[in-house]
Amino acid sequence: MGELAAEKHVEYILSVEKKKDSFESVVMEHLRMNGAYWGLTTLDLLGKLHAVDVDQIVSWIIKCQHDSGGFGGNIGHDPHVLYTLSAVQVLALFDKLDVLDIEKVSTYVAGLQNEDGSFSGDMWGEIDTRFSYIAICCLSLLHRLDKINVENAVSYIVSCKNLDGGFGCMPGGESHAGQIFCCVGALAITGALHHIDKDLLGWWLCERQVKSGGLNGRPEKLPDVCYSWWVLSSLIMIDRVHWINKEKLVKYILDCQDLDNGGISDRPDDAVDVYHTYFGVAGLSLLEYTGLKAIDPAYALPVDVVNRIFIGRQSKKES
Amino acid sequence: MASSSSDEEFRQWIPFRQRPEWSDVKPLPQDDGPSPVVPIAYKDSFVETMDYFRALYHGDERSFRALSLTSEAIQLNPGNYTVWHFRRLILEALEVDLQNELDFTEAVARVTDTCRHHRRWIAEKLGTIATSKELEFTRKILSLDAKHYHAWSHRQWVLQTLGGWDDELSYCDELLEEDIFNNSAWNQRYFVITNSPLHGGLKAMRTSEVSYTVKAVIAYPENESSWRYLRGLYKDDNHSWVNDAQVSSACLKVLSAKNNYVFALSTLLDLICHGFQPNQEFRDIVDALGTPDSDRQGSDLAKSICSVLERVDPIRANYWRWRRSKLSQAV
């Protein structure tokens, strides 16, 4: 089996941050906030978060905040929950949540809940269980889950449960590992995992593993490194991760590395990007690969960051 | 600007700073660090268009020239959601006929989530006159990628909100004929029989759907989707599931062929766990699949099945071992 080229991946992520003038970077500038989350969380998992300028990033994040309290994908962009969660997660990494007007942000997020318990992504109204997860995760990190109707939020998610035990984006939507992660994560955070048939879903999830050892997101689709996160974190949250072949999955992820230039791709020999680099490293962390910080499967943040938010610092506990 | 060829656009494109009708606007660069250094002229057009966009967005100008500017910006980068947002604000302010707007989205070079959101917003405003256009729009995307997740969710939204169920089941037939392994099409099939006001609901459709699906599982027994669909037809009715001879005999047929029988075996296991009493024929066929010493677990057929599965589906060996252990607990 190969090894994780940690140094190369760190270099790759730092270089992406610097290449703001590349055409690809310019075209993707509207989702820079997501890119920041993927890149910085990966650096933290690799123990290299100190390599970046915290103050510069934090002041950029603040500039991305809209009057409504939500965050856009970059400066001058409209707010959306997708970027609001990423902003909160990045600030959490740096232990800088105190720069936020928590009431303002949480009011924006809570305001996106609909009567049936579902969540819209922004003012334009699209509904998707992804947004349920985002809202619940975000508000939980800010200790403001009380601002939403949790019971309705849970019942909407449960209404998206399919016969195979999985979840889709809306009631009737096809089960998809990404949506499943969102629904399971949201139910985990709200203490509602009892709504899941863990044996049935666990089986569906372990059927995602294909011969090469990689995981796909739905039956008869190709494997992709990002499912190493979504399928795996879901399995961990429902206590069924031992149903996949961990060794083969580790090998698959390692085979997706670009050992020369750093970064990880969706499949062996494809082009790398920050998104897949994050999911590959996060997946390896869940698989307890040596040298990586542990990551929380529900909050998708390093465990020490989550502990800091929910348990507090050691010194506080001791006093 | 309706054309989508980037070469043609490049030849025809006049920089904003040279257009007299834009002379009053001061372009606003991206506040993101040092100014981008981009080597070729095409990228100049992109950067300049976005600088002018930012100026109008910042000034909240909801005019016809702003509308045409968003058209240009969208052609250059359909993924930029803020441009689409601002376009909607302009459309509302100008009270433009939204049927033309559907045509605009058709002309966008690359179908993105942003494009789809925009169409959904338009369709909500137009109501049922948009139904056939929306179904056609998703059909086009699916003809290029029959498993496109967001196209399917958009299509489901259209059916539930605006209707148009008439041809949906035959559309599923069509897609499954092209690719019987299309999980999205199987999911859509289930969606139709459980939601369409034109069919009688799951129970009423069950007999015909079982026949349809049994043909599929026998033809391609390695197809996870069809086996799951079959199981789904008996939602909340395990008694009928266990007693439908079509199901158990389909398993028998596949097992007898001794090829791609993993799902047939797990289905048989599921039947037994729900009370199915296998006759000698089933026992013999499972025995025939086992290796002489390892798999036979005495008279317990379910346990033998688990052993076979552990061997022929080794990547999920832990799962099948757990299934076997659960059988002991049940006893």
Side-chain angles (χ1 to χ4, degrees):
Chain A
M1 171 126 52
E3 265 184 28
L4 180 67
E7 291 290 318
K8 288 277 180 185
H9 300 320
V10 171
E11 276 168 34
Y12 167 71
I13 291 168
L14 294 174
S15 74
V16 163
E17 167 58 20
K18 290 192 179 75
K19 256 195 283 172
K20 276 183 270 188
D21 55 349
S22 74
F23 187 60
E24 299 81 56
S25 175
V26 168
V27 163
M28 302 291 264
E29 60 93 6
H30 57 276
L31 51 78
R32 201 172 162 74
M33 191 62 74
N34 288 350
Y37 162 74
W38 296 322
L40 295 167
T41 309
T42 309
L43 288 178
D44 199 10
L45 292 174
L46 295 168
K48 293 285 197 281
L49 191 60
H50 52 267
V52 298
D53 185 335
V54 179
D55 293 329
Q56 193 182 74
I57 294 172
V58 171
S59 67
W60 166 71
I61 291 175
I62 306 282
K63 285 191 204 162
C64 295
Q65 191 170 26
H66 202 251
D67 287 337
S68 60
F71 288 79
N74 206 335
I75 297 170
H77 279 275
D78 289 335
H80 194 288
V81 271
L82 286 167
Y83 310 114
T84 305
L85 176 62
S86 290
V88 168
Q89 285 171 315
V90 172
L91 290 172
L93 286 177
F94 293 129
D95 194 14
K96 291 278 187 189
L97 285 171
D98 52 6
V99 308
L100 287 175
D101 177 342
I102 304 237
E103 184 59 31
K104 201 170 178 195
V105 182
S106 47
T107 301
Y108 169 76
V109 175
L112 291 165
Q113 184 170 32
N114 301 305
E115 269 191 51
D116 61 359
S118 67
F119 283 85
S120 299
D122 63 9
M123 61 176 274
W124 298 104
E126 190 205 7
I127 293 170
D128 189 317
T129 48
R130 281 182 296 153
F131 307 143
S132 299
Y133 166 73
I134 285 170
I136 286 168
C137 180
C138 191
L139 290 171
S140 177
L141 289 170
L142 299 174
H143 304 291
R144 288 289 198 279
L145 262 181
D146 56 295
K147 282 180 95 76
I148 58 165
N149 186 325
V150 175
E151 205 184 300
N152 283 3
V154 167
S155 66
Y156 180 76
I157 291 168
V158 172
S159 76
C160 299
K161 188 164 53 163
N162 295 318
L163 288 173
D164 48 25
F167 296 82
C169 58
M170 292 176 324
E174 189 187 358
S175 292
H176 180 293
Q179 309 290 152
I180 289 170
F181 160 73
C182 290
C183 293
V184 175
L187 293 176
I189 292 171
T190 53
L193 282 173
H194 54 275
H195 289 290
I196 293 175
D197 183 337
K198 296 181 182 176
D199 294 336
L200 184 59
L201 178 56
W203 179 46
W204 188 92
L205 288 167
C206 78
E207 285 287 349
R208 292 315 105 232
Q209 192 163 31
V210 300
K211 263 214 181 82
S212 65
L215 304 172
N216 62 26
R218 295 178 268 172
E220 292 299 320
K221 295 279 284 179
L222 292 175
D224 184 323
V225 151
C226 65
Y227 296 111
S228 312
W229 169 263
W230 288 321
V231 172
L232 213 51
S233 55
S234 303
L235 281 168
I236 289 177
M237 288 190 272
I238 61 171
D239 288 318
R240 301 287 187 273
V241 73
H242 47 287
W243 285 354
I244 58 149
N245 184 316
K246 291 188 186 179
E247 226 179 64
K248 290 196 108 183
L249 179 58
V250 169
K251 182 175 185 304
Y252 179 84
I253 299 172
L254 294 175
D255 284 345
C256 293
Q257 297 179 98
D258 179 338
L259 295 170
D260 297 319
N261 304 305
I264 297 175
S265 59
D266 57 353
R267 243 158 259 135
D269 303 322
D270 277 355
V272 304
D273 56 51
V274 178
Y275 171 91
H276 288 98
T277 305
Y278 162 71
F279 285 115
V281 173
L284 288 172
S285 168
L286 289 178
L287 292 163
E288 297 171 310
Y289 192 87
T290 51
L292 296 174
K293 270 177 142 186
I295 188 166
D296 183 288
Y299 291 97
L301 285 168
V303 169
D304 60 352
V305 172
V306 175
N307 285 346
R308 192 167 58 207
I309 292 170
F310 292 104
I311 302 171
R313 280 167 201 77
Q314 264 317 113
S315 54
K316 274 189 185 165
K317 266 173 86 178
E318 280 158 7
S319 64
Chain B
M1 214 165 175
S3 81
S4 54
S5 153
S6 59
D7 280 347
E8 215 184 293
E9 272 173 34
F10 171 55
R11 274 195 294 277
Q12 293 171 358
W13 190 78
I14 302 163
F16 282 89
R17 60 189 175 276
Q18 290 170 20
R19 303 186 206 183
E21 68 273 23
W22 289 94
S23 58
D24 62 305
V25 178
K26 189 173 187 300
L28 216 54
Q30 177 69 19
D31 178 11
D32 198 48
S35 304
V37 173
V38 278
I40 67 169
Y42 174 64
K43 293 174 187 176
D44 272 344
S45 72
F46 178 87
V47 171
E48 206 201 16
T49 305
M50 289 315 297
D51 288 350
Y52 273 79
F53 169 76
R54 259 174 237 114
L56 294 196
Y57 174 78
H58 197 72
D60 199 14
E61 182 184 316
R62 303 186 194 184
S63 62
F64 278 102
R65 74 173 178 179
L67 186 64
S68 70
L69 174 51
T70 60
S71 304
E72 291 192 49
I74 283 166
Q75 295 292 12
L76 290 168
N77 186 9
N80 189 322
Y81 70 99
T82 301
V83 178
W84 288 94
H85 284 199
F86 191 54
R87 188 179 174 88
R88 287 193 278 279
L89 293 174
I90 298 167
L91 290 168
E92 280 183 328
L94 299 178
E95 295 174 358
V96 166
D97 179 356
L98 291 177
Q99 293 212 61
N100 296 331
E101 191 61 9
L102 284 178
D103 296 335
F104 167 75
T105 62
E106 300 272 349
V108 171
R110 207 169 26 100
V111 176
T112 53
D113 277 356
T114 48
C115 189
R116 194 183 39 82
H117 298 169
H118 197 68
R119 287 193 71 106
R120 196 180 58 90
W121 176 77
I122 299 167
E124 264 176 334
K125 288 190 172 279
L126 288 175
T128 50
I129 52 169
T131 309
S132 56
K133 271 193 162 166
E134 287 316 286
L135 290 176
E136 190 47 44
F137 171 70
T138 52
R139 192 185 253 264
K140 265 196 205 142
I141 303 173
L142 293 170
S143 69
L144 297 169
D145 175 3
K147 301 180 188 182
H148 193 295
Y149 195 77
H150 294 301
W152 278 114
S153 58
H154 186 65
R155 195 173 176 90
Q156 286 190 343
W157 175 83
V158 173
L159 289 164
Q160 295 225 284
T161 316
L162 305 174
W165 294 94
D166 303 60
D167 300 317
E168 199 61 13
L169 193 58
S170 51
Y171 180 53
C172 293
D173 286 338
E174 210 185 292
L175 290 172
L176 288 171
E177 220 180 279
E178 279 168 26
D179 178 10
I180 195 75
F181 294 91
N182 186 339
N183 192 64
S184 307
W186 282 104
N187 183 74
Q188 188 71 351
R189 203 175 177 95
Y190 196 79
F191 181 77
V192 174
I193 65 172
T194 50
N195 287 290
S196 168
L198 303 174
H199 306 284
L202 183 56
K203 271 218 164 83
M205 298 286 292
R206 186 184 286 159
T207 317
S208 55
E209 288 301 300
V210 169
S211 305
Y212 178 90
T213 313
V214 160
K215 279 199 200 92
V217 303
I218 289 172
Y220 297 95
E222 70 275 36
N223 189 351
E224 183 182 347
S225 307
S226 50
W227 287 102
R228 287 192 186 275
Y229 184 78
L230 186 61
R231 186 68 182 92
L233 292 170
Y234 290 92
K235 173 191 154 116
D236 300 329
D237 194 354
N238 288 330
H239 181 78
S240 303
W241 164 245
V242 166
N243 289 301
D244 190 337
Q246 278 194 88
V247 177
S248 44
S249 64
C251 293
L252 196 62
K253 232 185 180 124
V254 172
L255 293 170
S256 309
K258 293 191 185 172
N259 195 20
N260 289 319
Y261 50 79
V262 172
F263 290 116
L265 266 183
S266 68
T267 299
L268 182 57
L269 178 64
D270 188 46
L271 288 166
I272 294 170
C273 289
H274 283 97
F276 177 69
Q277 306 285 348
N279 59 24
Q280 195 55 43
E281 221 186 331
F282 284 95
R283 291 175 185 283
D284 291 342
I285 231 102
V286 172
D287 280 350
L289 295 174
T291 57
D293 303 310
S294 57
D295 299 328
R296 285 177 213 184
Q297 303 270 316
S299 58
D300 195 326
L301 184 59
K303 282 199 171 154
S304 304
I305 290 172
C306 289
S307 295
V308 174
L309 284 166
E310 220 178 292
R311 186 173 46 80
V312 301
D313 190 20
I315 211 165
R316 274 165 282 278
N318 286 344
Y319 173 71
W320 298 118
R321 232 171 268 141
W322 172 80
R323 285 298 299 266
R324 183 151 51 97
S325 69
K326 211 174 153 223
L327 295 170
S328 317
Q329 285 166 29
V331 167

